[in-house]
């Protein structure tokens, strides 16, 4: 696997990029760009690397602004991810690729699908939020702790930063399968979340502020295939979000995993990679 590298963007910021390709990787390998959750560093997690390698897939990831060594970008929106990804793809010589995101990475993957139809061949989102402005969706219903951090973000940056000073993890956010996943296959996720949290809260605050603002695109404008995977027992992003996204995305499919919560649903990542290849017309 190649070492992380920092890409210089037009505005002087850098993105820290992680790439599973090495000197022996085929130049024309099917490529998937991973959008990480909140908070994470953007580093490639072991289960994702193993699944991609078994399928001959080149897996890329990057830290969103203020995560994992990437420069901060206060005031960024969900749509801002697409502008960064264009520059990433240009510098790495990628004409066409699939995108994949989980939890807080889901909306950013959808931004790329909506705003970069000439580059993104297909999209997979696991446990993704829907827009706060989604018609007919009771956005907070079913969220652990009643979505306190996101409610604070709706008030503004100062309120969200103040909330973070005393924030504590609600153990009711996860179900038994989530804890089993974190103790087993997805242990690397827990480690990575710890590293991101220890580095500061700016990325997490900026994510939440972006989630509750208009996303500056509509999922109804996505013209390429989209897969949603959702845990039926998810208490972080309730299943109603996936239902709304399915109903409002033209070429979408939903895999509902009734017994999974927010972490256990990640076990669908490997087969989601197969789905992405099958639904990418260019490959």
């Amino acid at each position: 696997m190649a070492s992380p590298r920092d890409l210089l963007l037009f505005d002087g910021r850098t993105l820290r990029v992680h790439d599973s390709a090495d000197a022996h990787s085929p130049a024309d390998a099917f490529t998937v760009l991973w959008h990480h959750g909140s908070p994470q560093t953007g580093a490639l997690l072991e289960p994702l690397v193993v699944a991609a390698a078994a399928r001959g897939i080149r897996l890329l990831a990057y830290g969103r602004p203020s995560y994992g060594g990437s420069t901060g970008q206060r005031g960024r929106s969900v749509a801002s991810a697409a502008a960064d990804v264009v520059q990433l793809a240009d510098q790495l010589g990628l004409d066409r690729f699939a995108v994949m995101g989980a939890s807080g990475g889901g909306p950013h993957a959808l931004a790329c699908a909506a705003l970069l139809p000439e580059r993104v061949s297909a999209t997979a989102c696991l446990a993704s939020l829907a827009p706060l402005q989604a018609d007919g969706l009771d956005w907070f219903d079913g969220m652990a702790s009643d979505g306190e951090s996101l409610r604070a973000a709706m008030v503004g940056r100062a309120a969200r930063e103040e909330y973070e000073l005393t924030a504590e993890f609600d153990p009711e956010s996860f179900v038994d399968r989530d804890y089993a996943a974190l103790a087993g296959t997805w242990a690397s996720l827990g480690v990575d979340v710890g590293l991101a949290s220890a580095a500061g809260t700016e990325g997490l605050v900026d994510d939440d502020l972006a989630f509750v603002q208009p996303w500056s695109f509509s999922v109804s404008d996505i013209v390429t295939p989209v897969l949603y995977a959702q845990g039926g027992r998810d208490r972080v992003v309730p299943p109603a979000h996936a239902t709304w996204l399915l109903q409002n995305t033209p070429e979408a499919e939903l895999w509902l995993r009734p017994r999974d919560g927010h972490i256990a649903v990640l076990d669908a990542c490997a087969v989601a990679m197969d789905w992405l290849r099958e639904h990418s017309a260019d490959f």
Side-chain angles (χ1 to χ4, degrees), residues 98-186:
V99 294
M100 189 173 180
S103 189
H108 297 93
L110 292 171
C112 295
L115 299 173
L116 308 175
E118 73 286 356
R119 308 296 282 270
V120 174
S121 58
T123 304
C125 291
L126 302 95
S128 176
L129 287 165
L132 177 63
Q133 300 77 19
D135 291 338
L137 174 63
D138 188 347
W139 204 74
F140 289 100
D141 185 43
M143 282 190 188
S145 301
D146 199 31
E148 289 177 352
S149 64
L150 292 163
R151 290 185 185 276
M154 292 175 65
V155 180
R157 175 175 291 277
R160 181 61 184 83
E161 289 176 339
E162 183 177 358
Y163 172 84
E164 198 60 32
L165 294 176
T166 57
E168 294 183 1
F169 174 71
D170 179 359
E172 296 298 316
S173 300
F174 294 160
V175 298
D176 51 355
R177 286 198 177 201
D178 294 329
Y179 287 111
L182 286 170
T185 304
W186 292 95

Side-chain angles (χ1 to χ4, degrees), residues 30 32 34 55 57 98-100 122-126 227-229 255 265-279:
F30 177 61
V32 175
W34 172 259
R55 291 160 173 79
I57 291 173
V99 294
M100 189 173 180
T123 304
C125 291
L126 302 95
L227 170 66
Y228 296 110
W255 291 352
V265 74
L266 295 176
D267 285 340
C269 283
V271 286
M273 291 180 186
D274 294 331
W275 187 96
L276 286 171
R277 193 199 298 271
E278 292 167 4
H279 288 78

